[in-house]
């Protein structure tokens, strides 16, 4: 399944040194600043390191987030803003709108933006893992869990941290509710794709597979509806990917629903269901071509070239031929003009986000360490910048993401 999933680019950021010379007036305060600089740089390196695994990413992100929390939360557990929250400026790009960055002098903005990237990393990690030849059952579970973890991070940011920003979120940017919602639901849908592949391989009840496929198509439809109100310049490619997945999984739903109807001796309705599956599959193929030709950010998936995609075409064709054959010999039923209404509800296999929480405050943050930050003094770096001529706003360089080469397609077989 290499390149089965579309992936938007990581957010990019300007370097942050945390050189609060003059403000960090104690050894403990200076050490915290140094550790923040090191752990942030380490995290950014790992985001594009293809050898990084979940454990490594979690350890690295926990190290940084636990230190950054000292700029945000009150040490006494109170609700008042930490005095350090607005001392450092952070600059981040968006996943869709190129290299023009948004800047906020707010540690909460940094916490959200870095965690957003971690969520994206989980989706990219899942995509790379799903693209391996002969993926194992444990690896399939890892893909499944990674999508749920990513959804949980996005959900937590939307509900608990983005509302705390003092600067209003700009429309169409990563932190706007519509964009966040699209990422959450896409993660759930892609997690369910793993469930469907597993159910097909283990030859589960066609009714269950049809229901899962129908629910997954509905998830993708929700994403498409959300994206439809955003600027098409930025989301045209992403949306084409979503639309082809809608058609693909709706075709799956009609195909397996047709099998269920046939076993219930409703051969005429089964034929009509399979005809609808064939129409939707052909539309999905056309959308794959349109998607490949659409300009926009992100890696380009190539679903139509995969065995998992082609298998559905063959399955629809063969099942339809079987139904027509049976109807000609046994049932002699009239084929309805209208496709059956799918009112399928999956009771198993639905993906829910894994609840996410940021790590606890790092033990370095003691009352003495906090007292070592003297806000009556302006950072020397700021004084120097204030005297210099204002610089033209510069673009933040994009994250240099690795070019993942496609491997031999295994057809999403879980060995």
């Amino acid at each position: 399944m290499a390149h089965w999933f579309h992936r938007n680019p990581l957010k990019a950021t300007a370097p942050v040194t945390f050189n609060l010379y003059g403000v960090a007036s104690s050894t403990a305060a200076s050490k915290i600043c140094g550790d923040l600089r090191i752990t942030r740089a380490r995290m950014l390196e790992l985001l594009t390191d293809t050898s990084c695994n979940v454990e490594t990413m979690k350890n690295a992100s926990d190290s940084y987030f636990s230190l950054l929390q000292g700029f945000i939360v009150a040490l006494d557990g109170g609700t008042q803003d930490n005095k350090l929250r607005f001392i450092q400026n952070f600059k981040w790009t968006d996943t869709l709108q190129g290299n023009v960055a948004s800047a906020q002098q707010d540690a909460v903005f940094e916490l959200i933006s870095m965690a957003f990237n971690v969520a994206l990393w989980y989706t990219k990690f899942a995509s790379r893992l799903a693209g391996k030849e002969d993926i194992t059952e444990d690896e399939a579970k890892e893909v499944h869990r990674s999508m749920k973890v990513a959804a949980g991070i996005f959900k937590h940011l939307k509900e608990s941290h983005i509302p705390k920003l003092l600067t209003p979120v700009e429309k169409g940017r990563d932190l706007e509710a519509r964009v966040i919602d699209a990422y959450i639901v896409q993660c759930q849908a892609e997690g369910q794709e793993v469930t469907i592949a597993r159910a097909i391989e283990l030859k589960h009840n066609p009714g269950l597979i049809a229901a899962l496929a129908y629910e997954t198509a509905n998830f993708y439809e929700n994403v498409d509806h959300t994206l439809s109100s955003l600027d098409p310049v930025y989301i045209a490619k992403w949306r084409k990917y979503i639309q082809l997945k809608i058609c693909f999984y709706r075709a799956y739903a009609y195909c397996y629903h047709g099998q269920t109807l046939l076993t219930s001796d409703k051969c005429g309705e089964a034929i009509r269901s399979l005809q609808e599956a064939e129409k939707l599959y052909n539309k999905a193929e056309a959308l794959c071509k349109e998607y490949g030709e659409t300009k926009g950010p992100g890696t380009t998936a190539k679903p139509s070239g995969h065995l998992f995609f082609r298998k559905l075409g063959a399955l629809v064709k063969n099942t339809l031929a079987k139904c027509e054959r049976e109807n000609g010999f046994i049932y002699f039923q009239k084929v309805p003009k209208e496709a059956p209404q799918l009112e399928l509800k999956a009771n198993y296999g639905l993906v829910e986000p894994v609840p996410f929480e940021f790590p606890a405050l790092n033990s370095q943050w003691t009352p003495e360490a906090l007292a070592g930050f003297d806000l009556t003094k302006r950072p020397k770096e700021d004084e120097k910048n204030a005297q210099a001529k204002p610089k033209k706003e510069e673009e933040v360089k994009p994250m240099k993401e690795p070019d993942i080469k496609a491997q031999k397609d295994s057809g999403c077989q879980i060995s």
Side-chain angles (χ1 to χ4, degrees):
M1 282 176 68
H3 299 303
W4 177 257
F5 298 124
H6 172 91
R7 290 291 174 257
N8 290 326
L10 290 164
K11 294 164 72 66
T13 182
V16 179
T17 62
F18 293 100
N19 287 336
L20 303 177
Y21 299 126
V23 173
S25 57
S26 71
T27 302
S30 296
K31 184 177 188 309
I32 286 173
C33 289
D35 288 349
L36 277 165
R37 180 173 60 254
I38 292 167
T39 54
R40 186 181 199 265
R42 173 64 175 155
M43 265 194 76
L44 293 173
E45 285 176 7
L46 289 176
L47 287 169
T48 57
D49 184 350
T50 57
S51 66
C52 179
N53 58 30
V54 168
E55 184 180 5
T56 303
M57 177 54 70
K58 181 168 177 16
N59 289 339
S61 60
D62 281 357
S63 295
Y64 180 60
F65 290 143
S66 67
L67 284 166
L68 188 64
Q69 294 271 47
F71 277 36
I72 300 169
V73 302
L75 263 62
D76 60 4
T79 57
Q80 288 190 332
D81 281 333
N82 188 304
K83 69 176 186 177
L84 300 177
R85 176 176 168 180
F86 306 106
I87 194 174
Q88 177 71 59
N89 191 53
F90 300 96
K91 191 179 290 187
W92 283 92
T93 64
D94 288 271
T95 54
L96 301 173
Q97 300 193 18
N99 300 335
V100 179
S102 298
Q104 291 193 34
Q105 194 149 326
D106 188 348
V108 173
F109 178 63
E110 165 74 357
L111 185 79
I112 294 167
S113 299
M114 191 68 96
F116 195 106
N117 254 2
V118 172
L120 286 176
W121 178 87
Y122 271 99
T123 71
K124 290 170 185 275
F125 173 75
S127 184
R128 288 198 302 271
L129 204 56
K132 287 184 62 177
E133 188 176 347
D134 298 325
I135 182 171
T136 66
E137 183 177 338
D138 285 343
E139 288 168 336
K141 288 179 180 176
E142 189 84 63
V143 172
H144 192 251
R145 179 168 175 78
S146 292
M147 298 312 306
K148 294 193 293 182
V149 169
I153 296 173
F154 286 128
K155 187 171 185 286
H156 182 67
L157 294 178
K158 179 192 171 186
E159 294 175 352
S160 301
H161 295 278
I162 293 173
K164 295 177 183 176
L165 289 170
L166 298 185
T167 303
V169 174
E170 298 174 65
K171 286 186 176 181
R173 297 280 183 169
D174 282 343
L175 306 188
E176 200 215 328
R178 290 177 296 176
V179 179
I180 291 270
D181 284 341
Y183 276 117
I184 292 170
V185 181
Q186 181 178 329
C187 287
Q188 290 179 270
E190 290 179 346
Q192 284 181 197
E193 290 192 53
V194 180
T195 305
I196 293 168
R198 174 79 171 164
I200 291 169
E201 185 152 349
L202 295 180
K203 295 180 171 58
H204 278 293
N205 185 296
L208 171 62
I209 296 171
L212 278 170
Y214 180 66
E215 297 270 20
T216 303
N218 287 344
F219 270 16
Y220 277 120
E221 193 166 57
N222 288 341
V223 178
D224 186 55
H225 177 73
T226 302
L227 293 178
S228 66
S229 60
L230 294 168
D231 190 335
V233 171
Y234 302 116
I235 52 87
K237 189 176 187 69
W238 188 9
R239 197 174 173 203
K240 281 290 182 190
Y241 164 77
I242 297 300
Q243 288 169 351
L244 76 86
K245 286 294 184 81
I246 294 170
C247 288
F248 181 68
Y249 282 102
R250 200 149 279 163
Y252 249 118
Y254 273 107
C255 178
Y256 278 88
H257 184 58
Q259 292 183 23
T260 303
L261 290 169
L262 182 60
T263 58
S264 302
D265 297 324
K266 298 177 181 178
C267 194
E269 291 180 47
I271 290 172
R272 187 62 189 87
S273 190
L274 267 299
Q275 288 173 343
E276 191 68 16
E278 188 174 52
K279 184 176 80 172
L280 286 163
Y281 180 79
N282 291 338
K283 186 178 178 182
E285 279 193 312
L287 282 167
C288 281
K289 185 178 179 183
E290 289 178 29
Y291 163 73
E293 294 171 349
T294 303
K295 302 295 183 185
T299 56
T300 300
K302 298 177 181 177
S304 61
H306 287 270
L307 191 57
F308 188 65
F309 191 99
R310 298 196 305 272
K311 271 184 175 180
L312 176 59
L315 181 65
V316 169
K317 181 180 178 181
N318 293 337
T319 310
L320 177 57
K322 177 184 176 181
C323 289
E324 290 173 334
R325 205 163 48 243
E326 297 297 306
N327 204 41
F329 279 103
I330 302 171
Y331 295 102
F332 306 105
Q333 294 176 0
K334 185 178 179 180
V335 177
K337 291 183 179 180
E338 298 294 326
Q341 290 295 312
L342 295 181
E343 296 179 356
L344 307 172
K345 187 70 180 174
N347 296 317
Y348 307 98
L350 295 178
V351 167
E352 290 295 331
V354 171
F356 174 80
E357 291 289 341
F358 283 105
L361 188 66
N362 191 288
S363 59
Q364 289 189 55
W365 282 105
T366 63
E368 293 75 23
L370 183 61
F373 290 89
D374 185 357
L375 295 191
T376 64
K377 298 178 181 177
R378 188 175 181 180
K380 292 179 181 178
E381 196 174 75
D382 284 359
E383 291 175 1
K384 182 179 178 182
N385 290 339
Q387 295 169 4
K389 291 181 180 179
K391 289 183 179 179
K392 183 182 176 182
E393 186 70 19
E394 59 182 358
E395 290 189 340
V396 174
K397 292 182 180 180
M399 300 276 276
K400 192 172 182 181
E401 299 189 47
D403 180 23
I404 307 298
K405 294 182 180 179
Q407 301 180 47
K408 181 182 176 183
D409 181 30
S410 62
C412 196
Q413 295 293 314
I414 302 167
S415 59

